[in-house]
């Protein structure tokens, strides 16, 4: 039985089965007020840093190519000096695991600083809000403009704002596509109005996503679409840094009465000016405690500090702190001491080890890749010259950026003979095959390995293929087996 009262529904004469619950809650538009202060400076520093990286990196060159390019058509990814093929998926997996661990560690220590300072949604919303404030004015002016009827001033300002937003969004979309198609070629195509349909689609798609998310959806993305906000509480503990309101100091809140010293003496430090709510990009009141909508941006702390300065009160009524620190009145030094707690140390150790492992494996990553496939359809057969024979296909992939020459030979019992593709059969100590492979290309080679009947017993005999790059002198050994069934 559903208890309508417990769901906040007033009891009426309407039968319960006819009560309609709405899954959509309409919300007032949020007009965040501009703010200045130390956390705002940090936020803008991160906006500059992330955007300089995003817009700048595709224009960097590395040798004869773009430094960072994810060439999906050629199935090759370039990150400065590193070249990745689809076979290198393991590195991507590694990177994703590292990112997840870094997020766990970062969240356990510093809460939602990622959301407040570096998340693309926050960064683009900040940029779009800045454009909006420059064209339409700050919070009060924007509210007045929206409430006014259609007039030339309103239409022209809105039109101009949307033009700037759209141009910025398309530039963002263009840069994004420039990570997948060489950006200099893309620019030339753009100048000549000759961009391909897919390129146009993705520029438009990414541009539209930026325009929609940063211009209109804004805090809705954080509140309803981002999964991180939902599971972050599992990573928080009482020593995690969060934006907090010092209730003990702030309450009872209230406006000051200039004439009554006695009335003021009964009040806490909060003058109930509501500026902390006005600057909040997600429209919440931090004085109501920790809420999942809080992205930890620190705007409320900045504005409250300016209020405290004006009132002549100590700063920090709203500040970054931890639940333990608030309850036990810890100093900054005591908060810092709790950073190195077991959970953080374990995350850090795992993260450090994995990062080291990834760095070493990238450093020793060979410039070519070898795969050996035994012909499984014919396990063992009799060759034309009456010997026992197994067939192998050796695939070599050149991951280097220049043509390379490779030498292949077999490491096995001296009784074996090898016959590479069109070459004649030779004892394995003399059987060598040399071939050139162009950058990013793969070549296959068929090899028949033979041994005279009766020399070896029935069963599986270990062998190996050694492939050597004659240019770099790198060597790779791939193990396999020679099987005798007769
Ligand atoms: S900005 Fe500070 S003083 Fe003003 S309402 Fe918020 S907490 Fe109170
Ligand atoms: S409550 Fe404060 S820190 Fe949290 S989102 Fe709002 S302004 Fe940012």
């Amino acid at each position: 039985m559903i208890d309508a009262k417990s769901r906040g529904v007033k009891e009426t004469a309407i039968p319960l089965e006819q009560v309609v619950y709405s899954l959509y809650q309409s919300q007032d538009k949020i007009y965040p007020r501009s703010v200045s202060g130390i956390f705002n400076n940090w936020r803008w520093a991160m906006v500059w840093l992330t955007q300089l990286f995003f817009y700048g990196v595709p224009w960097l060159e590395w040798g004869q190519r773009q430094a960072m390019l994810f060439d999906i058509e050629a199935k090759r990814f370039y990150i400065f000096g590193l070249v990745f093929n689809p076979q290198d998926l393991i590195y991507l997996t590694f990177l994703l695991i590292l990112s997840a661990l870094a997020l766990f560690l970062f969240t356990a220590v510093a809460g939602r600083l990622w959301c407040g300072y570096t998340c693309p949604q926050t960064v683009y919303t900040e940029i779009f809000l800045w454009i909006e404030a420059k064209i339409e004015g700050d919070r009060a002016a924007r509210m007045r403009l929206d409430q006014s009827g259609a007039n030339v001033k309103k239409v022209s300002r809105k039109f101009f704002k949307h033009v700037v937003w759209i141009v910025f969004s398309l530039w963002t979309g263009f840069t994004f596509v420039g990570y997948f198609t060489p950006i200099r070629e893309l620019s030339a195509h753009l100048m000549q109005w000759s961009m391909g349909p897919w390129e146009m689609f993705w520029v438009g798609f990414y541009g539209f996503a930026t325009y929609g998310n940063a211009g209109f959806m804004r805090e809705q993305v954080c509140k309803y679409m981002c999964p991180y906000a939902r599971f972050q509480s599992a990573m928080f503990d009482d020593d995690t840094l969060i934006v907090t309101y010092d209730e003990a100091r702030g309450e009872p809140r209230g406006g000051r009465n200039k004439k009554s010293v006695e009335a003021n003496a009964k009040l806490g430090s909060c003058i109930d000016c509501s500026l902390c709510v006005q600057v909040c990009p997600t429209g919440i009141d931090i004085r109501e405690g920790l809420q999942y909508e809080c992205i930890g941006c620190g705007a409320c702390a900045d504005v409250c500090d300016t209020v405290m300065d004006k009132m002549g009160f100590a700063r920090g009524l709203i500040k970054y702190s931890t639940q333990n620190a608030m309850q036990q009145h810890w100093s900054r030094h005591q908060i810092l001491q709790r950073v190195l707690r077991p959970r953080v140390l374990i995350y850090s150790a795992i993260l450090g080890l994995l990062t080291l492992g990834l760095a070493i494996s990238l450093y020793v990553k060979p410039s070519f890749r070898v795969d050996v496939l035994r012909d499984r359809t014919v396990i063992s057969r009799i060759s034309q010259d009456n010997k026992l024979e197994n067939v192998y296909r050796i695939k070599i992939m050149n991951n280097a950026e220049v043509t390379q020459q490779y030498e292949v030979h077999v490491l096995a019992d001296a009784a074996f003979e090898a016959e590479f593709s069109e070459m004649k059969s030779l004892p394995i100590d003399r059987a060598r095959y040399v071939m050139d492979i162009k950058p990013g290309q793969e070549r296959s080679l068929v090899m028949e390995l033979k041994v005279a009947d009766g020399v070896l017993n029935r069963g599986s005999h270990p062998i190996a293929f050694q492939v050597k790059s004659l240019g770099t002198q790198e060597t790779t050994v791939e193990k396999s087996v020679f099987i005798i069934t007769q």
Side-chain angles (χ1 to χ4, degrees):
M1 186 79 180
I2 301 166
D3 177 4
K5 203 173 180 180
S6 70
R7 291 180 175 239
V9 178
K10 277 187 196 167
E11 285 191 51
T12 65
I14 304 169
L16 191 58
E17 56 275 15
Q18 289 178 24
V19 174
V20 176
Y21 297 103
S22 173
L23 294 177
Y24 173 76
Q25 188 186 11
S26 68
Q27 284 196 330
D28 292 336
K29 184 177 170 187
I30 295 172
Y31 297 86
R33 191 189 184 106
S34 300
V35 63
S36 58
I38 185 151
F39 302 120
N40 184 58
N41 293 344
W42 273 110
R43 236 177 10 263
W44 274 101
M46 293 315 293
V47 168
W48 278 104
L49 200 71
T50 51
Q51 298 316 289
L52 278 175
F53 182 90
F54 176 71
Y55 295 105
V57 163
W59 295 97
L60 297 179
E61 296 275 299
W62 187 272
Q64 301 297 309
R65 61 159 169 86
Q66 191 168 312
M68 194 178 285
L69 180 68
F70 305 109
D71 191 342
I72 290 173
E73 206 178 328
K75 299 195 185 97
R76 302 199 97 196
F77 290 178
Y78 304 94
I79 301 175
F80 294 92
L82 298 169
V83 183
F84 297 94
N85 296 297
Q87 293 86 348
D88 295 323
L89 202 67
I90 183 75
Y91 293 104
L92 180 65
T93 314
F94 232 112
L95 207 63
L96 290 177
I97 294 172
L98 276 182
S99 308
L101 266 173
L103 196 67
F104 290 164
L105 172 66
F106 196 66
T107 306
V109 174
R112 292 184 71 182
L113 287 194
W114 158 262
C115 302
Y117 292 82
T118 39
C119 171
Q121 178 62 25
T122 306
V123 167
Y124 285 107
T125 301
E126 191 84 34
I127 296 171
F128 273 56
L129 272 171
W130 180 83
I131 295 170
E132 190 171 66
K134 286 285 163 216
I135 297 171
E136 293 183 1
D138 202 9
R139 175 184 155 91
R142 295 204 303 274
M143 290 170 86
R144 274 197 307 274
L145 194 70
D146 278 2
Q147 281 155 13
S148 67
N151 55 54
V152 176
K153 179 182 161 193
K154 180 173 181 175
V155 172
S156 59
R157 289 196 178 184
K158 293 274 173 198
F159 177 76
F160 185 46
K161 176 183 82 175
H162 285 282
V163 168
V164 178
W165 277 1
I166 289 170
V167 170
F168 182 79
S169 301
L170 288 175
W171 178 38
T172 307
F174 174 83
T175 305
F176 179 73
V177 175
Y179 278 90
F180 300 90
T181 302
I183 201 161
R184 285 179 163 77
E185 281 174 30
L186 200 63
S187 312
H189 293 162
L190 180 66
M191 298 293 175
Q192 296 154 8
W193 292 102
S194 60
M195 266 168 61
W198 277 111
E199 288 162 348
M200 284 205 296
F201 170 79
W202 284 112
V203 169
F205 181 85
Y206 195 79
F208 178 75
T210 308
Y211 176 64
N213 286 341
F216 300 93
M217 303 286 288
R218 294 186 179 172
E219 78 287 348
Q220 310 282 338
V221 175
C222 310
K223 281 181 172 178
Y224 305 114
M225 293 162 72
C226 176
Y228 178 49
R230 303 286 163 166
F231 67 76
Q232 48 146 338
S233 54
M235 295 179 257
F236 275 31
D237 59 28
D238 290 345
D239 290 309
T240 298
L241 213 55
I242 49 173
V243 175
T244 50
Y245 166 68
D246 190 342
E247 197 177 335
R249 185 186 143 191
E251 301 296 319
R253 68 184 80 156
R256 305 298 123 145
N257 182 346
K258 284 184 184 156
K259 292 179 190 153
S260 174
V261 178
E262 198 185 328
N264 290 347
K266 291 179 186 161
L267 293 171
S269 296
C270 175
I271 64 167
D272 208 12
C273 61
S274 83
L275 284 176
C276 49
V277 183
Q278 293 177 33
V279 296
C280 179
T282 63
I284 59 168
D285 186 344
I286 192 66
R287 295 172 297 171
E288 289 170 11
L290 180 63
Q291 294 147 73
Y292 80 89
E293 293 97 334
C294 175
I295 57 169
C297 67
C300 51
D302 269 341
V303 79
C304 191
D305 278 347
T306 61
V307 175
M308 294 296 106
D309 287 349
K310 280 186 195 146
M311 297 301 297
F313 298 161
R315 287 181 160 210
L317 179 58
I318 299 176
K319 62 185 172 190
Y320 284 99
S321 186
T322 68
Q323 284 180 318
N324 270 338
M326 293 303 285
Q327 282 158 11
Q328 297 170 45
H329 308 291
W330 282 351
S331 64
R332 186 175 292 190
H333 180 66
Q334 285 171 304
I335 296 175
L336 286 176
Q337 275 182 328
R338 285 297 298 156
V339 169
L340 296 179
R341 53 195 186 276
R343 178 183 192 169
V344 172
L345 292 175
I346 291 170
Y347 283 155
S348 307
I350 299 174
L351 192 64
L353 283 175
L354 285 178
T355 308
L356 188 69
L358 181 65
I360 292 173
S361 63
L362 284 175
Y363 183 71
V364 299
K365 184 174 178 285
S367 66
F368 62 96
R369 186 186 170 89
V370 180
D371 279 324
V372 174
L373 304 169
R374 277 192 75 256
D375 186 346
R376 292 179 192 281
T377 52
V378 187
I379 295 176
S380 166
R381 66 186 184 197
I382 306 292
S383 66
Q384 284 175 343
D385 49 358
N386 235 3
K387 290 179 177 161
L388 297 170
E389 178 181 83
N390 281 195
V391 180
Y392 304 84
R393 180 175 291 273
I394 304 147
K395 283 205 266 183
I396 304 175
M397 169 90 196
N398 179 6
N399 290 335
E401 296 190 63
V402 289
T403 299
Q404 295 222 66
Q405 198 167 53
Y406 298 97
E407 182 192 76
V408 186
H409 82 271
V410 193
L411 307 172
D413 191 295
F416 281 107
E417 282 177 22
E419 190 174 325
F420 285 107
S421 293
E422 67 278 6
M423 290 169 69
K424 65 175 184 163
S425 186
L426 285 171
I428 59 161
D429 56 340
R430 287 199 285 127
R432 296 272 190 281
Y433 192 87
V434 176
M435 62 179 164
D436 289 346
I437 307 181
K438 290 187 176 153
Q441 294 203 348
E442 182 181 280
R443 276 187 66 185
S444 288
L445 164 73
V446 175
M447 196 212 69
E448 289 153 10
L449 194 62
K450 310 175 199 180
V451 67
D453 195 6
V455 173
L456 296 172
N457 297 331
R458 275 175 67 170
S460 173
H461 300 269
I463 60 161
F465 293 84
Q466 182 179 295
V467 182
K468 182 176 180 184
S469 162
L470 297 180
T472 64
Q473 298 296 308
E474 283 171 81
T475 301
T476 292
V477 175
E478 273 292 302
K479 290 182 182 164
S480 187
V481 286
F482 186 92
I483 295 175
I484 300 174
T485 54
Q486 276 81 359

